Structures are given as C-alpha cells and as structure tokens.
Amino acid sequence: PLLDHGLAPALAGFLLLAAPPAAAGGGEGLFARLLGHPALTALGADSFEVYIFQRPVHDAFTLCFDMDAPQAFVAYVLTLWCFASLYS
C-alpha cells in the first residue's frame, strides 16, 4: 500500500505548500522559505561529507567507546558533523 500511491496525498500537500502563492504575485512558498533557512542550508552543504565519513568515524567510536550509551552516541554525532564541516 505504501508504494501503491499511498503517499500521494502527502506529496500533493507538499506541492501545494511549496508552490508560490498566486495572490502575492509569485515569490517563495512556505516550504521553500523553510528549507532555505541558513541553518538547514549549512547542514545540507556538509551532508555528503557526513555520508562519506559516517562509517569510518563509527568504526573508530566502536573501538573506543560503548556505543549503547547515549553520551557516546551524542559524541559520535557531534564529532561526525564537526569533522565533516572541517573537511568541506
């Protein structure tokens, strides 16, 4: 059911909210303004590096820390994003 057009209403809602308002004479839609926020675009600029470094950083953390602890996971995520932003 999910792959049989089950997400069509969600996609239609996204397209409706992403479209520029016709009464305002164009411009950006709600989602375009939301996704264009500087914080989200900065995360998007580093996302490929996060994808590339995810496995090596995870393997290094697994060797050094107990990854079942929440503190180790938070440290892993912060280290991964900092390392990726320094590389990009």
Side-chain angles (χ1 to χ4, degrees):
L2 183 63
L3 299 177
D4 190 21
H5 307 292
L7 294 176
L11 180 61
F14 172 77
L15 292 175
L16 178 67
L17 291 173
E28 294 182 342
L30 175 65
F31 278 132
R33 286 194 312 257
L34 178 68
L35 295 176
H37 191 274
L40 291 178
T41 56
L43 286 177
D46 297 335
S47 64
F48 181 72
E49 284 79 10
V50 168
Y51 171 73
I52 295 294
F53 293 128
Q54 176 181 354
R55 185 65 185 198
V57 173
H58 183 268
D59 290 344
F61 264 76
T62 304
L63 288 174
C64 299
F65 303 108
D66 176 27
M67 287 303 288
D68 292 332
Q71 296 87 355
F73 177 72
V74 170
Y76 161 70
V77 170
L78 291 175
T79 303
L80 178 63
W81 278 96
C82 289
F83 187 67
S85 63
L86 288 174
Y87 185 79
S88 65

